[in-house]
Amino acid sequence: FGQPEKTEWTPQEVVDKAGALRGVAGALITTADGLPVAFHLPDNLSGNLVAAFVPQMYTRIVQYTRDLKLGEARHLTILIESVPLQIFKAGNYYFTVLGRANENLPKPQLTAISAALARQGQ
């Protein structure tokens, strides 16, 4: 996030900074039971509603990939019309990012954020 001297970030700081990355419209951190930890989403989306669905979506799709013998998914990217939605399992949390229409998500940065959250959320 351009502050290498800072080593501790609150969940709200993480989603605010992630939401400011190029190609990102919003971000959310939720617990496995669908409770929002922090979110920075466009006004037309409810953080509580998105948080409730993210773990269910992730769990079901991971089960489908196992059943199909495709392997274990580490993260999911869903394209809704031209808007990407990416869900990472980060330790005990889910880190979800909503992209901007017709733009690419900054995958290396988001993967690094997810890995850092996983280390903190064990």
Side-chain angles (χ1 to χ4, degrees):
F1 297 132
Q3 296 175 293
E5 70 285 349
K6 185 169 179 165
T7 58
E8 296 289 323
W9 297 84
T10 69
Q12 191 61 52
E13 288 174 322
V14 170
V15 296
D16 288 345
K17 294 288 189 177
L21 293 172
R22 184 176 183 181
V24 176
L28 172 129
I29 299 171
T30 185
T31 63
D33 56 358
L35 297 174
V37 175
F39 56 86
H40 175 95
L41 295 170
D43 291 337
N44 64 326
L45 292 175
S46 164
N48 292 325
L49 188 59
V50 175
F53 280 101
V54 162
Q56 293 178 50
M57 291 168 56
Y58 185 90
T59 301
R60 287 180 184 179
I61 292 175
V62 165
Q63 184 60 50
Y64 298 150
T65 62
R66 272 193 221 124
D67 292 348
L68 292 169
K69 299 189 183 346
L70 295 173
E72 186 77 26
R74 294 189 320 248
H75 68 272
L76 307 173
T77 303
I78 303 166
L79 192 61
I80 305 157
E81 294 184 13
S82 61
V83 177
L85 176 72
Q86 193 161 45
I87 305 171
F88 296 86
K89 179 76 168 96
N92 296 323
Y93 300 106
Y94 292 89
F95 174 54
T96 304
V97 179
L98 178 68
R100 297 186 184 282
N102 299 311
E103 293 187 31
N104 293 323
L105 290 171
K107 291 181 184 177
Q109 293 93 329
L110 298 176
T111 301
I113 293 167
S114 175
L117 284 172
R119 286 190 297 275
Q120 291 180 349
Q122 294 296 336

